[in-house]
Amino acid sequence: MSLPALTFSLQFARFDGVAQHRAALPRHKVMRWVRHALASDAEITVRIVDTKEGQQLNRAYREKDYPTNVLTFDYAQEPVILADLVLCAPVVEREAREQNKSLQEHYAHLLVHGTLHAQGWDHETSEQDAQEMEAYETEILRGLGFTDPYAT
Protein backbone atom coordinates (compact mmCIF):
# COMPACT_ATOMS: atom_id res chain seq x y z
CA MET A 1 0.00 0.00 0.00
CA SER A 2 1.43 3.35 -1.05
CA LEU A 3 0.92 6.08 1.51
CA PRO A 4 0.41 9.75 0.63
CA ALA A 5 3.44 12.04 0.63
CA LEU A 6 3.85 14.13 3.75
CA THR A 7 5.85 17.29 4.29
CA PHE A 8 6.09 17.42 8.04
CA SER A 9 7.25 19.50 10.97
CA LEU A 10 7.20 18.44 14.63
CA GLN A 11 7.56 21.24 17.17
CA PHE A 12 7.69 21.26 20.96
CA ALA A 13 7.03 24.33 23.06
CA ARG A 14 9.14 24.77 26.18
CA PHE A 15 7.39 23.49 29.28
CA ASP A 16 8.05 21.40 32.36
CA GLY A 17 8.13 17.71 31.47
CA VAL A 18 8.66 18.22 27.74
CA ALA A 19 11.27 15.42 27.67
CA GLN A 20 8.62 12.81 28.48
CA HIS A 21 6.49 14.02 25.57
CA ARG A 22 9.45 14.11 23.18
CA ALA A 23 10.22 10.51 24.16
CA ALA A 24 6.63 9.44 23.42
CA LEU A 25 6.69 11.16 20.03
CA PRO A 26 9.62 10.03 17.88
CA ARG A 27 9.39 11.88 14.58
CA HIS A 28 9.27 8.70 12.47
CA LYS A 29 6.35 7.32 14.47
CA VAL A 30 4.36 10.57 14.38
CA MET A 31 4.84 10.76 10.62
CA ARG A 32 3.69 7.14 10.27
CA TRP A 33 0.54 7.75 12.32
CA VAL A 34 -0.34 10.87 10.36
CA ARG A 35 0.39 9.32 6.96
CA HIS A 36 -1.88 6.34 7.70
CA ALA A 37 -4.74 8.76 8.34
CA LEU A 38 -4.23 10.71 5.10
CA ALA A 39 -6.25 10.21 1.93
CA SER A 40 -3.95 12.47 -0.13
CA ASP A 41 -0.64 14.30 0.01
CA ALA A 42 -0.24 16.79 2.83
CA GLU A 43 1.84 19.45 4.52
CA ILE A 44 1.25 19.22 8.25
CA THR A 45 2.84 20.79 11.29
CA VAL A 46 2.36 19.14 14.69
CA ARG A 47 3.00 21.36 17.70
CA ILE A 48 3.04 20.11 21.29
CA VAL A 49 2.18 22.92 23.72
CA ASP A 50 1.63 23.64 27.40
CA THR A 51 -1.67 24.44 29.13
CA LYS A 52 -1.33 28.19 28.72
CA GLU A 53 -0.80 28.10 24.95
CA GLY A 54 -3.45 25.41 24.50
CA GLN A 55 -6.01 27.49 26.39
CA GLN A 56 -5.11 30.69 24.52
CA LEU A 57 -5.56 28.99 21.15
CA ASN A 58 -8.82 27.30 22.13
CA ARG A 59 -10.18 30.61 23.42
CA ALA A 60 -9.08 32.58 20.35
CA TYR A 61 -10.25 30.12 17.71
CA ARG A 62 -13.10 28.18 19.29
CA GLU A 63 -14.27 30.66 21.94
CA LYS A 64 -13.83 27.98 24.60
CA ASP A 65 -11.80 29.11 27.60
CA TYR A 66 -10.00 25.89 28.53
CA PRO A 67 -7.16 23.84 27.08
CA THR A 68 -8.29 20.95 24.91
CA ASN A 69 -6.44 17.84 23.81
CA VAL A 70 -6.08 18.58 20.08
CA LEU A 71 -6.87 21.54 17.85
CA THR A 72 -6.87 21.19 14.08
CA PHE A 73 -6.26 24.22 11.91
CA ASP A 74 -7.11 23.14 8.38
CA TYR A 75 -6.16 25.63 5.68
CA ALA A 76 -6.71 23.66 2.46
CA GLN A 77 -7.70 20.20 1.29
CA GLU A 78 -6.68 20.61 -2.36
CA PRO A 79 -4.36 20.25 -4.17
CA VAL A 80 -2.72 19.08 -0.93
CA ILE A 81 -3.95 19.02 2.64
CA LEU A 82 -2.46 21.95 4.59
CA ALA A 83 -2.95 21.86 8.35
CA ASP A 84 -1.53 22.49 11.79
CA LEU A 85 -2.30 20.09 14.64
CA VAL A 86 -1.78 21.50 18.13
CA LEU A 87 -1.80 19.08 21.05
CA CYS A 88 -1.82 20.22 24.67
CA ALA A 89 0.67 17.97 26.47
CA PRO A 90 -0.75 18.25 30.02
CA VAL A 91 -4.28 17.48 28.77
CA VAL A 92 -3.09 14.52 26.70
CA GLU A 93 -1.10 13.21 29.67
CA ARG A 94 -4.06 13.54 32.06
CA GLU A 95 -6.47 11.87 29.63
CA ALA A 96 -4.05 9.00 28.97
CA ARG A 97 -3.77 8.38 32.70
CA GLU A 98 -7.59 8.56 33.16
CA GLN A 99 -8.14 6.16 30.24
CA ASN A 100 -5.41 3.74 31.38
CA LYS A 101 -3.49 4.21 28.12
CA SER A 102 0.14 4.86 27.46
CA LEU A 103 1.02 8.43 26.55
CA GLN A 104 2.17 7.26 23.13
CA GLU A 105 -1.07 5.37 22.50
CA HIS A 106 -3.19 8.43 23.32
CA TYR A 107 -1.02 10.70 21.18
CA ALA A 108 -1.38 8.30 18.25
CA HIS A 109 -5.16 8.41 18.61
CA LEU A 110 -5.31 12.20 18.82
CA LEU A 111 -2.97 12.63 15.87
CA VAL A 112 -5.12 10.34 13.73
CA HIS A 113 -8.22 12.18 14.99
CA GLY A 114 -6.77 15.60 14.19
CA THR A 115 -5.56 14.46 10.77
CA LEU A 116 -9.07 13.28 9.90
CA HIS A 117 -10.43 16.69 10.95
CA ALA A 118 -7.92 18.30 8.56
CA GLN A 119 -9.59 16.33 5.76
CA GLY A 120 -13.13 17.41 6.61
CA TRP A 121 -14.20 14.64 8.98
CA ASP A 122 -16.40 16.04 11.75
CA HIS A 123 -17.90 14.21 14.71
CA GLU A 124 -19.93 17.20 15.93
CA THR A 125 -22.30 17.40 12.94
CA SER A 126 -24.38 14.32 13.74
CA GLU A 127 -24.36 11.08 15.67
CA GLN A 128 -23.92 9.17 12.40
CA ASP A 129 -20.88 11.28 11.47
CA ALA A 130 -19.42 10.68 14.94
CA GLN A 131 -19.91 6.91 14.63
CA GLU A 132 -18.35 6.86 11.14
CA MET A 133 -15.35 8.91 12.28
CA GLU A 134 -14.83 6.75 15.38
CA ALA A 135 -15.04 3.57 13.29
CA TYR A 136 -12.50 4.91 10.80
CA GLU A 137 -10.14 6.03 13.59
CA THR A 138 -10.38 2.57 15.15
CA GLU A 139 -9.61 0.91 11.79
CA ILE A 140 -6.56 3.13 11.21
CA LEU A 141 -5.25 2.63 14.74
CA ARG A 142 -5.72 -1.15 14.61
CA GLY A 143 -3.72 -1.13 11.37
CA LEU A 144 -0.97 0.66 13.29
CA GLY A 145 -1.03 -1.93 16.07
CA PHE A 146 -3.12 -0.03 18.64
CA THR A 147 -6.33 -1.12 20.33
CA ASP A 148 -9.74 0.48 19.85
CA PRO A 149 -9.43 3.95 21.44
CA TYR A 150 -13.15 3.99 22.18
CA ALA A 151 -13.36 0.62 23.92
CA THR A 152 -14.48 0.99 27.51
Side-chain angles (χ1 to χ4, degrees):
M1 166 173 97
S2 178
L3 295 173
L6 175 61
T7 302
F8 179 76
S9 176
L10 177 59
Q11 304 172 359
F12 291 85
R14 293 184 180 152
F15 57 88
D16 289 339
V18 69
Q20 173 188 2
H21 296 270
R22 281 185 185 274
L25 294 166
R27 180 182 171 79
H28 69 282
K29 287 188 178 185
V30 176
M31 285 186 68
R32 181 172 181 256
W33 302 334
V34 169
R35 285 184 75 201
H36 275 80
L38 289 170
S40 61
D41 295 348
E43 295 178 17
I44 294 180
T45 295
V46 172
R47 181 164 170 79
I48 310 302
V49 303
D50 63 2
T51 302
K52 182 178 178 183
E53 187 174 346
Q55 184 167 350
Q56 288 172 339
L57 289 168
N58 203 25
R59 183 184 321 116
Y61 293 98
R62 294 181 65 227
E63 299 180 1
K64 297 185 179 191
D65 194 19
Y66 57 87
T68 191
N69 53 17
V70 61
L71 292 168
T72 300
F73 297 93
D74 56 331
Y75 308 114
Q77 293 180 0
E78 295 178 359
V80 298
I81 298 160
L82 298 174
D84 292 334
L85 305 179
V86 179
L87 292 95
C88 183
V91 173
V92 175
E93 186 176 345
R94 176 182 46 80
E95 289 178 347
R97 192 170 44 253
E98 290 170 354
Q99 297 172 23
N100 296 314
K101 296 178 182 176
S102 73
L103 187 58
Q104 190 171 78
E105 182 178 15
H106 196 42
Y107 268 123
H109 175 215
L110 293 174
L111 286 161
V112 166
H113 183 87
T115 301
L116 292 181
H117 274 306
Q119 298 170 93
W121 288 79
D122 192 345
H123 54 85
E124 295 181 355
T125 49
S126 72
E127 182 61 31
Q128 180 178 345
D129 289 346
Q131 289 175 359
E132 288 174 7
M133 187 171 176
E134 288 178 11
Y136 191 39
E137 287 173 34
T138 299
E139 177 184 328
I140 293 166
L141 288 161
R142 282 191 176 144
L144 291 166
F146 293 102
T147 60
D148 180 350
Y150 296 101
T152 52

